[in-house]
Amino acid sequence: MPTLRAPAQEETGIKWIENAPLDGLNSMGLRATARLLASVASEKDLLRFLEWAKETGEKFVVLGGGTNVILGDPMLDFAILRLDGDFAKYVLEGNKITAGAAVPLARLAQEAVKAALTGLEEASYIPGTLGGALAGNAGTPQWQISDNVKWVEALDRKGQRRRFAAPEITFEYRRSTLAGWVITRACLALKTDRPENIAQRLEAAKVRRIGQPRGARSAGCIFKNPPGDTAGRLIDAAGLKGLRRGDAVVSRHHANFIVNEGNATGPEVIELIAEVRRRVLEQFNVSLETEVQILRSTT
Ligand code: EPU
């Protein structure tokens, strides 16, 4: 396997870590090592990183909050890019929030509530960053992030910056045409409302989360809901709660979650996902599609 080499730290202003452990950077707590982890704190650093990737031909993946990903192999043979610094800043002006891609979505939801703005109540319980939420059009059955998008700024892999107005982006259920771009910033449009109405919607969003595993290490819902049904209901009806591969277990609280009860590995989680799909297909003739992003080595 050829070595992924980072330039000297001082040459770029980018933080580079070779053979970086990613255990703390994914909500499932899966053990994995990235051959290279790069953190950029400004757009200037990001452009340098993209330049490096272009020159070396290295593949890279952007990791946001790590809350919707399965690190599928103990050794990932590509670079992982993280945004911080400037990308973790946000400003609230009138009824708009402009925020960097690294800001936690739930933080923006909190700020909106404090400012008596409605629109992000459902996001209060969604883990992960704004960038990740936009890439995958995060949401609940009641709301999705695309409902509030005014514009999104992103860079392509060659470093070309583009500002997409909302109608230029195709958002679908847990999917958007922004995937593949490095999302840097976005502006969300909200509306003013009476605090008691906002509080009521917050409470309703909280109640809908009651059946989900709390405090457990998971990547949120594993599968998309198939048309007219829900993955959780189907997996439960197939009797798969508690099914395990090593320490990866189908949650007993909510069947569309897989929890890491100890030292689960990426390959075990992937095996469990395959087994759940196989059994649901066999019993109900429904082919479940994953909503989590699965990262695997290419070699
Ligand atoms: N159900 C079962 N057994 C289970 C789990 C669910 O029978 O183990 C049944 C429930 O009784 C209910 C139906 O399945 O009738 C739907 O369950 P739930 O209300 O929990 O909603 P969901 O469709 O499973 C969706 C989103 C969640 C989001 C909740 C908030 C998807 C795939 N999931 O879950 O999003 O938090 O609504 O209401 O769209 C995520 O995207 O990571 C995620 C967790």
Side-chain angles (χ1 to χ4, degrees):
M1 199 194 279
T3 334
L4 255 181
R5 279 256 157 253
Q9 208 85 265
E10 57 277 14
E11 269 175 45
T12 63
I14 304 171
K15 261 190 267 156
W16 304 89
I17 303 174
E18 288 174 45
N19 296 317
L22 301 175
D23 314 14
L25 298 181
N26 74 107
S27 57
M28 265 210 111
L30 297 175
R31 291 236 168 98
T33 302
R35 286 174 58 204
L36 188 61
L37 175 67
S39 305
V40 296
S42 66
E43 193 161 308
K44 199 167 116 197
D45 286 351
L46 174 56
L47 286 167
R48 284 179 174 146
F49 174 84
L50 293 172
E51 188 76 8
W52 168 85
K54 199 165 76 181
E55 272 168 18
T56 56
E58 293 300 348
K59 184 181 167 224
F60 71 90
V61 169
V62 186
L63 187 67
T67 56
N68 198 43
V69 294
I70 308 291
L71 305 180
D73 287 300
M75 186 60 167
L76 296 171
D77 65 356
F78 43 81
I80 296 275
L81 173 65
R82 302 244 314 156
L83 309 185
D84 55 29
D86 290 353
F87 301 106
K89 295 179 180 161
Y90 58 89
V91 11
L92 201 155
E93 276 171 309
N95 65 348
K96 289 192 206 84
I97 298 186
T98 304
V103 180
L105 186 61
R107 167 78 54 75
L108 297 177
Q110 267 172 13
E111 290 295 328
V113 170
K114 272 200 265 167
L117 291 170
T118 182
L120 295 182
E121 293 89 332
E122 288 287 322
S124 305
Y125 301 98
I126 298 184
T129 60
L130 174 63
L134 290 163
N137 195 16
T140 64
Q142 292 70 28
W143 167 89
Q144 47 194 1
I145 185 93
S146 54
D147 296 347
N148 298 99
V149 169
K150 204 163 162 54
W151 53 258
V152 177
E153 267 180 18
L155 298 185
D156 69 11
R157 307 245 150 182
K158 292 187 186 126
Q160 297 294 317
R161 187 194 303 115
R162 171 111 193 246
R163 181 183 283 202
F164 296 96
E168 296 177 287
I169 308 164
T170 306
F171 286 107
E172 289 166 9
Y173 172 55
R174 299 297 195 271
R175 195 204 292 252
S176 86
T177 45
L178 294 166
W181 289 75
V182 181
I183 299 166
T184 52
R185 258 176 8 129
C187 178
L188 304 179
L190 307 167
K191 291 195 174 112
T192 47
D193 198 0
R194 289 170 37 186
E196 53 271 35
N197 294 344
I198 295 174
Q200 235 170 45
R201 281 192 288 270
L202 263 182
E203 186 56 26
K206 189 172 162 189
V207 166
R208 279 193 285 274
R209 294 274 156 162
I210 286 173
Q212 297 183 359
R214 261 168 299 167
R217 291 180 295 164
S218 84
C221 285
I222 293 287
F223 298 101
K224 296 180 183 179
N225 283 336
D229 209 335
T230 70
R233 192 199 70 78
L234 288 163
I235 300 165
D236 194 353
L240 303 181
K241 280 182 167 174
L243 184 71
R244 63 165 64 230
R245 288 290 177 274
D247 285 339
V249 186
V250 174
S251 166
R252 290 178 189 82
H253 295 280
H254 193 299
N256 198 11
F257 284 66
I258 289 178
V259 294
N260 177 2
E261 287 193 347
N263 293 309
T265 66
E268 283 165 355
V269 176
I270 291 171
E271 223 184 277
L272 186 58
I273 290 174
E275 183 62 14
V276 168
R277 288 193 77 215
R278 198 180 64 72
R279 297 223 207 159
V280 168
L281 183 66
E282 202 173 84
Q283 293 199 38
F284 302 111
N285 202 26
V286 175
S287 176
L288 292 177
E289 250 184 72
T290 46
E291 78 144 71
V292 286
Q293 194 193 351
I294 298 174
L295 300 183
R296 300 221 75 172
S297 277
T298 45
T299 49

